[in-house]
Amino acid sequence: MKRSSFIQHSLLGLAGVASCSKSVEHNDNQSNALIEPIYRWKCITTWPPNFPVLGEGANLLAKWLKELSGGRIALKVFGGGELVPALSVFDEVMNGTVEMGVGVPYYWTGKHPAIPFFATIPFGMNAQQMNAWLYCGGGLELWKEVYAKFGIIPFPAGNTGVQMGGWFNKEILSVEDLKGLKMRIPGFGGKVLAKLGGTPVLSSGSEIYTNLETGVIDATEWIGPYHDYKMGFHKIAKYYYSPGWHEPGPNLEVMMNATTFNALPADIKAIVETACYRLNLWTLSEFEAKNMDYLNKILTESKAELKQFPKEVLNRLREATDETMEELVSDNALAKKVHDSYRSFQQKMSGWSELTEKLYHNDIS
Ligand code: CA
């Protein structure tokens, strides 16, 4: 759909909501029941249409909102690029041209330096710890405070779990091997790699395979076995590295235009919030269930070798992360506040997981 046509449709959509935004007394002879308004919302996503897990999750959100509201919420989901470019989702929700958007907060790092903490940072918290921070450790309140500057209300809405370290055609035996390494690794992880002499390369999803095959890049990260298998990287890369130090558990988001959300009745607000909780749980569960099956497929169908980054390399990446983070937050008081909350929560959780998760996985499971 062309942009002008999209804006027209959006306006029609908004007008449609406005015209029925009040409950109307139903005065026919059969009943005096209230006619409930129907909220017709557009939801734009940063993923291609029906993208495995992430796009499917947005489709499920539409289904659940309809079911939970008894048909009062009609959500129409659009893949990235269908209505607007994928990376304009934040702006469209902010401007109110659409009511809802789905993405990953770190895409909007350019808007505010605090934002990556609400997605993931290298050597940061895993999915379980992120949920604990967001829902019960003050993280979501801070996230709302940051997004309020843009007229957006955020909801945690999924997590990929710990990602893989990526596909390499060069073995990484020491920090020296990172020097001159051309790797497709966006965002914060790319900055950290650059500190150790690597060259982060930006490639869109559709270019990565050819760039890796032709040697334009030596390595790429993507997500985890399920999505990586579909990209076919195992056919052209020698080594599959773990862990994804750069993305230990990115939290995904549903964003709502604040003016739209604040005008809703309490039950519709609660339905939106509840459906996002459900999407959060479903997304992580779906990733966990699919990834190991697809890792096995990769290892049986290709010659790719599974490798782990040496401890020394991870330690140096961690030091470079700390330096990069200081630079990110030092000039902004709110970013510093978010950083401090995140870091102190992570430290607390780390002590607890040493005693529980770590011992359990190392010695029992
Ligand atoms: Ca990734």
Side-chain angles (χ1 to χ4, degrees):
M1 195 185 292
K2 289 211 170 74
R3 192 181 161 85
S4 57
S5 161
F6 156 53
I7 289 169
Q8 244 172 19
H9 274 75
S10 299
L11 292 173
L12 285 174
L14 290 171
V17 169
S19 67
C20 57
S21 62
K22 283 181 189 149
S23 299
V24 182
E25 199 79 29
H26 186 60
N27 281 328
D28 66 13
N29 293 332
Q30 274 88 37
S31 79
N32 287 324
L34 291 174
I35 297 174
E36 297 287 354
I38 293 179
Y39 299 94
R40 297 186 191 282
W41 297 336
K42 291 188 178 67
C43 174
I44 50 176
T45 76
T46 52
W47 344 109
N50 309 311
F51 192 61
V53 192
L54 306 174
E56 290 165 353
N59 297 341
L60 280 173
L61 180 68
K63 178 174 175 278
W64 295 332
L65 287 173
K66 184 179 174 190
E67 285 170 1
L68 288 165
S69 67
R72 290 155 69 206
I73 303 176
L75 191 70
K76 188 153 173 48
V77 175
F78 297 90
E82 285 192 309
L83 275 185
V84 292
L87 293 182
S88 63
V89 168
F90 189 93
D91 285 337
E92 300 292 346
V93 175
M94 178 175 79
N95 296 335
T97 44
V98 297
E99 294 81 9
M100 189 180 271
V102 181
V104 193
Y106 55 38
Y107 291 151
W108 329 119
T109 302
K111 301 280 184 194
H112 197 284
I115 291 180
F117 294 98
F118 307 118
T120 192
I121 55 167
F123 300 96
M125 292 191 270
N126 67 13
Q128 189 169 320
Q129 295 165 340
M130 272 303 284
N131 281 331
W133 179 58
L134 289 169
Y135 291 128
C136 303
L140 184 53
E141 283 77 21
L142 288 168
W143 191 6
K144 285 180 178 168
E145 185 179 339
V146 174
Y147 273 27
K149 292 178 176 298
F150 305 96
I152 294 176
I153 297 184
F155 302 88
N159 200 300
T160 69
V162 180
Q163 296 198 358
M164 285 295 280
W167 296 91
F168 290 68
N169 275 324
K170 231 180 111 180
E171 208 171 350
I172 304 300
L173 298 169
S174 76
V175 177
E176 287 303 305
D177 295 320
L178 298 178
K179 294 212 169 103
L181 182 83
K182 286 173 288 173
M183 181 170 182
R184 183 265 174 196
I185 174 170
F188 205 138
K191 287 199 177 85
V192 172
L193 180 70
K195 270 202 184 290
L196 296 181
T199 307
V201 178
L202 284 179
S203 304
S204 71
S206 58
E207 296 166 340
I208 304 174
Y209 186 94
T210 311
N211 285 352
L212 188 60
E213 192 178 26
T214 56
V216 172
I217 51 175
D218 309 307
T220 183
E221 72 84 55
W222 188 235
I223 304 176
Y226 182 39
H227 291 81
D228 294 12
Y229 178 87
K230 288 174 187 290
M231 293 290 271
F233 297 136
H234 54 292
K235 297 176 195 159
I236 49 167
K238 291 185 191 153
Y239 308 113
Y240 195 17
Y241 268 90
S242 73
W245 56 273
H246 60 298
E247 290 196 73
N251 168 64
L252 315 174
E253 65 187 346
V254 163
M255 297 176 273
M256 274 208 75
N257 177 274
T259 309
T260 305
F261 186 80
N262 290 332
L264 297 172
D267 62 334
I268 294 288
K269 283 182 182 165
I271 286 167
V272 170
E273 190 180 27
T274 303
C276 290
Y277 268 94
R278 183 170 174 180
L279 181 56
N280 193 359
L281 182 58
W282 178 84
T283 304
L284 179 61
S285 307
E286 178 72 351
F287 267 108
E288 290 287 303
K290 286 280 183 348
N291 272 334
M292 196 59 209
D293 289 344
Y294 277 81
L295 181 60
N296 286 333
K297 275 166 84 74
I298 286 169
L299 296 178
T300 51
E301 292 176 21
S302 76
K303 292 190 176 127
E305 267 182 70
L306 211 49
K307 294 270 180 192
Q308 286 181 22
F309 293 115
K311 193 84 185 134
E312 175 234 347
V313 170
L314 289 173
N315 285 342
R316 289 294 301 281
L317 287 166
R318 184 193 293 269
E319 286 164 18
T321 295
D322 290 344
E323 285 172 32
T324 311
M325 197 130 52
E326 287 304 315
E327 292 161 14
L328 179 76
V329 303
S330 59
D331 294 338
N332 187 292
L334 182 52
K336 182 80 172 51
K337 182 166 95 167
V338 173
H339 163 271
D340 292 351
S341 166
Y342 184 103
R343 280 307 202 195
S344 70
F345 198 84
Q346 181 180 10
Q347 211 167 16
K348 182 171 78 174
M349 296 313 281
S350 157
W352 175 238
S353 82
E354 287 287 336
L355 271 180
T356 52
E357 304 288 332
K358 261 195 175 170
L359 286 185
Y360 178 77
H361 288 298
N362 288 345
D363 300 339
I364 299 172
S365 73

